[in-house]
């Protein structure tokens, strides 16, 4: 039996906790000054005495060749405008991955092939273990670092990674059906069109696109990415900053 979703819960009916979407905009002054200092250090050819800071000039800003930005004040204003958008974007993706996807999977119904789901979960754990080894860390230490929970022991890390793997697998199944119900067909024809579109957008050769994104990855990942983007856009529109 192949795992399939039988009922897809409407993710827009899931209440997002207010602390996640009602944010306090931090004081940007120190951050902006720090960015200006780093830019000045990159462009300055002067060797200053220890403790003395480089000063950002209009000429340094112009050397960055930023559209419509030619002065230090314009550079600072641009950061003041863009930082809130960046914060909202990062927060919306965090909410989707850490809160909305698990909730959606939990509230939807599936016919699950346990062998298939277990295999996917173990695959996620194997990848996690390899990353821990690459960093010279134990599974426990790597898990504590990745999840930000210093009290997790190895067993808890394993169980959580297996849970993430199972959730990710079920969401992938759900996303494929979600697109199908909306009339989106993923097949050889749509793959060829997708490859052509990516090639035109990036300037890559179509054969190179196929190497980077073979058809089996396309069939698995495009529905997932598409639905994640849709959910993130919905969450993004709800995030506000307290005055």
């Amino acid at each position: 039996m192949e795992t399939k979703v039988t009922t897809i819960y409407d993710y827009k009916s899931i209440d997002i906790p207010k602390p996640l979407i009602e944010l306090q905009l931090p004081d940007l002054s120190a951050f902006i000054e720090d960015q200006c200092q780093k830019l000045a250090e990159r462009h300055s050819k002067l060797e200053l005495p220890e403790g003395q800071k480089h000063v950002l000039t209009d000429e340094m800003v112009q050397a960055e060749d930023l559209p419509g930005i030619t002065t230090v004040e314009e550079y600072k204003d641009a950061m003041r405008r863009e930082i809130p958008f960046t914060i909202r974007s990062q927060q919306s993706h965090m909410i989707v991955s850490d809160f909305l996807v698990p909730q959606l999977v939990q509230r939807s119904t599936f016919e699950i092939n346990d062998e298939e789901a277990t295999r996917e979960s173990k695959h996620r754990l194997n990848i996690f273990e390899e990353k821990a080894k690459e960093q010279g860390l134990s599974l426990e230490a790597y898990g504590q670092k990745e999840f930000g929970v210093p009290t997790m022991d190895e067993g808890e890390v394993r169980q959580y990674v297996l849970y993430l793997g199972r959730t990710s697998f079920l969401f992938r199944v759900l996303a494929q059906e979600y697109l199908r119900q909306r009339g989106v067909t993923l097949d050889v024809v749509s793959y060829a069109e997708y490859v052509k579109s990516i090639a035109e957008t990036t300037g890559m050769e179509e054969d190179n696109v196929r190497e980077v994104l073979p058809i089996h990855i396309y069939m698995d990942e495009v529905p997932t990415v598409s639905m994640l983007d849709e959910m993130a856009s919905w969450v993004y529109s709800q995030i506000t900053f307290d005055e």
Side-chain angles (χ1 to χ4, degrees), residues 47-221:
E47 291 188 11
L48 300 179
E50 185 176 350
Q52 188 172 343
K53 294 183 178 181
H54 293 277
V55 177
L56 186 64
T57 66
D58 292 347
E59 289 74 18
M60 293 176 180
V61 172
Q62 291 162 15
E64 290 291 294
D65 197 24
L66 300 171
I69 299 176
T70 58
T71 68
V72 173
E73 284 308 311
E74 288 173 347
Y75 181 68
K76 290 181 178 180
D77 288 341
M79 281 194 285
R80 291 188 189 98
R81 291 193 303 270
E82 291 301 321
I83 290 172
F85 290 113
T86 301
I87 292 174
R88 288 177 73 187
S89 178
Q90 292 175 341
Q91 183 72 3
S92 63
H93 283 85
M94 183 278 291
I95 291 171
V96 168
S97 62
D98 293 353
F99 175 77
L100 207 54
V101 166
Q103 286 290 315
L104 176 59
V105 168
Q106 182 179 339
R107 299 180 189 210
S108 300
T109 58
F110 299 83
E111 292 180 3
I112 301 175
N113 180 323
D114 282 331
E115 182 179 342
E116 186 180 24
T118 299
R119 183 171 63 248
E120 292 290 333
S121 296
K122 288 183 177 179
H123 178 64
R124 177 74 169 256
L125 179 59
N126 289 339
I127 293 174
F128 197 83
E129 289 175 331
E130 286 300 319
K131 289 183 178 179
K133 290 179 182 178
E134 289 173 3
Q135 295 195 20
L137 297 174
S138 66
L139 183 65
E140 179 177 307
Y142 185 64
Q144 292 171 351
K145 174 186 173 184
E146 284 295 296
F147 304 133
V149 183
T151 58
M152 292 181 82
D153 60 30
E154 182 175 327
E156 290 171 328
V157 171
R158 286 182 181 277
Q159 288 302 312
Y160 188 58
V161 174
L162 290 170
Y163 160 76
L164 291 177
R166 185 181 181 88
T167 299
S168 177
F169 165 65
L170 293 177
F171 179 74
R172 190 165 71 244
V173 171
L174 184 152
Q176 290 169 349
E177 176 62 17
Y178 183 80
L179 259 64
R180 190 195 67 79
Q181 290 181 6
R182 279 151 183 75
V184 179
T185 302
L186 299 180
D187 53 19
V188 174
V189 174
S190 68
Y191 175 65
E193 293 173 348
Y194 187 80
V195 168
K196 183 178 180 180
S197 173
I198 295 297
E200 291 175 349
T201 302
T202 63
M204 294 173 63
E205 295 292 333
E206 290 189 14
D207 286 345
N208 292 338
V209 176
R210 291 188 182 92
E211 288 180 11
V212 175
L213 185 71
I215 190 168
H216 69 280
I217 299 295
Y218 165 81
M219 300 291 279
D220 276 348
E221 299 300 330

